[in-house]
């Protein structure tokens, strides 16, 4: 495609069915644990009881005995989807965690069962850093890969695909735009 030209991609907004109550509870519990542990690792020195307790809760929620399969979480600017489905009654914590992740241009997290307390601490310290600082060092995906993070797969979004360097998306919701970027369309 010639520089300065673009094509228009029309996306249709199809509302997915809301999560089951059990899945909504699981996503909300994960978000609450993640937010609490994220605050603790940034505010307190290593080994502080608040860090130990909150990271322990997060590790427990994502342990193989409590999480049968990976959690595939799509990050919107103001909410989270689990396996592409929204919660019926969003909890404020879902929006808060989504906003934090969105600042780092994270479009999707895949949380595999079995991350250790130390694995979670390293991840939360990384997303607790200023997003501009992380981007100046290569972005969240590159830094996480350099830390050998494996319990969480991070998919970073490239909004240039839809906001200037490639296809333009019209008529879509944030869910559509994020899905467009996650599929890599516009390359």
């Amino acid at each position: 495609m010639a520089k300065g030209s673009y094509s228009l991609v029309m996306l249709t907004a199809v509302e997915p069915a809301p999560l089951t109550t059990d899945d909504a509870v699981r996503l909300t519990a994960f978000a609450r644990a993640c937010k609490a542990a994220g605050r603790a690792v940034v505010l307190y020195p290593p080994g502080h009881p608040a860090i130990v307790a909150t990271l322990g809760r997060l590790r427990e929620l994502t342990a193989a005995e409590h999480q049968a399969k990976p959690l595939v979480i799509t990050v919107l600017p103001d909410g989270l989807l689990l396996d592409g489905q929204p919660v019926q009654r969003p909890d404020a914590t879902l929006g808060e965690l989504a906003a934090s992740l969105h600042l780092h241009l994270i479009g999707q997290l895949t949380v595999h069962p079995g991350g250790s307390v130390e694995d979670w601490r390293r991840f939360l310290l990384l997303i607790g850093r200023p997003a501009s600082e992380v981007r100046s060092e290569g972005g969240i995906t590159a830094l996480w890969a350099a830390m050998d993070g494996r319990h969480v797969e991070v998919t970073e979004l490239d909004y240039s695909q839809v906001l200037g360097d490639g296809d333009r998306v019209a008529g879509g919701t944030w869910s559509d735009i994020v899905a467009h970027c996650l599929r890599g369309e516009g390359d």
Side-chain angles (χ1 to χ4, degrees):
M1 187 174 296
K3 187 170 179 107
S5 68
Y6 63 89
S7 63
L8 184 63
V9 176
M10 296 297 289
L11 296 177
T12 57
V14 176
E15 291 295 320
L19 288 170
T20 65
T21 301
D22 289 345
D23 285 341
V25 166
R26 189 170 75 222
L27 179 61
T28 302
F30 170 79
R32 288 178 180 170
C34 202
K35 282 297 293 176
R39 277 188 218 106
V41 298
V42 171
L43 294 174
Y44 300 111
H48 189 279
I51 293 175
V52 173
T54 58
L55 286 174
R57 174 72 177 137
L58 188 54
R59 191 218 55 80
E60 179 184 326
L61 282 172
T62 60
E65 56 269 13
H66 294 108
Q67 182 181 317
K69 63 179 186 161
L71 298 175
V72 180
I73 301 169
T74 302
V75 179
L76 305 175
D78 60 354
L80 302 173
L81 307 176
L82 179 61
D83 295 327
Q85 296 176 278
V87 295
Q88 190 155 12
R89 285 182 239 138
D91 182 280
T93 306
L94 297 173
E96 292 168 14
L97 180 58
S100 297
L101 297 171
H102 183 73
L103 284 174
H104 285 287
L105 303 179
I106 296 173
Q108 186 169 288
L109 292 179
T110 302
V111 180
H112 297 282
S116 71
V117 166
E118 180 57 23
D119 292 335
W120 278 111
R121 188 185 74 76
R122 289 183 307 126
F123 179 74
L124 293 171
L125 283 171
L126 179 60
I127 64 171
R129 293 176 56 194
S132 58
E133 182 181 292
V134 171
R135 279 194 291 279
S136 73
E137 293 177 28
I140 195 86
T141 302
L143 292 178
W144 184 235
M147 298 172 106
D148 203 26
R150 296 200 177 151
H151 74 295
V152 176
E153 289 177 43
V154 176
T155 304
E156 192 170 355
L157 296 178
D158 179 3
Y159 286 114
S160 68
Q161 295 176 9
V162 291
L163 298 176
D165 293 343
D167 289 344
R168 304 254 182 193
V169 177
T173 65
W174 268 108
S175 296
D176 297 326
I177 293 168
V178 169
H180 182 79
C181 290
L182 288 172
R183 286 190 305 264
E185 293 174 354
D187 291 348

